[in-house]
Structure formats: C-alpha cells, structure tokens
Amino acid sequence: MDRDEELLRGRVYGQDHDDPRPGPKPGRVYAELVGGPLDGLLLDVTGRTPEQRAAGAALETELGRYGAGGRSLYDPRPGDPSRLDWSGDTP
C-alpha cells in the first residue's frame, strides 16, 4: 500500500466521530500524528506556512495526561514533514 492510499484510510483530528465521511478530503494536506494519545490521526495542515509547520502543534484532547482542557504536543519529524511526533502533554 502506498502512502497516499494509507492516508485515505485515516481519521482526521477534529472531525466529529459521527461524521459519515471522517477521512481526509481531496485537495487538503495532512500530517500523521505519531505516538501519544492521538496516535494514528491525521492533522489537516493545509494553508500552514513552513514556519507554522516547523512550530508543531498543541492539540486539545481529553485523552492526554491532563484530561479535559489538556493539550498534546506534536513536533515535526526531522526530514519527514508528513509526520508529527508526540513530545508530551500540557495542561
């Protein structure tokens, strides 16, 4: 299975779990979240500048160490902008 096909099967962070089409949308750019509580989800990075992508992401989740209101931190993987690696949780 190639990378594009793999991405098409994934779920996108922030989409409602009851969405009848929870997968990626055509014409959008996604990065895979690796590790931590959001492991395997895709993050829509369409329209983010290179600087914004290099800064990583702090994503709200109830699944992390701090529960409701907490955030999981994901940093870009060196040499692979299509993946963001979990670096911890914050309140």
Side-chain angles (χ1 to χ4, degrees):
M1 174 181 329
D2 69 16
R3 177 89 178 124
D4 289 337
E5 194 175 328
E6 185 179 316
L7 283 174
L8 290 174
R9 296 184 332 155
R11 290 196 36 161
V12 178
Y13 169 81
Q15 284 187 334
D16 190 273
H17 67 278
D18 291 333
D19 188 332
R21 297 180 59 204
K25 307 287 188 253
R28 309 294 294 177
V29 177
Y30 297 92
E32 180 182 3
L33 302 174
V34 180
L38 303 176
D39 184 51
L41 293 179
L42 302 176
L43 179 66
D44 188 341
V45 295
T46 306
R48 291 188 183 191
T49 66
E51 293 79 17
Q52 289 169 323
R53 289 189 68 175
L59 305 172
E60 290 183 20
T61 181
E62 296 179 3
L63 303 173
R65 179 177 178 190
Y66 297 97
R71 295 178 182 270
S72 287
L73 307 174
Y74 286 84
D75 297 320
R77 182 178 289 183
D80 187 356
S82 69
R83 291 196 166 91
L84 298 171
D85 293 314
W86 179 67
S87 60
D89 295 321
T90 188

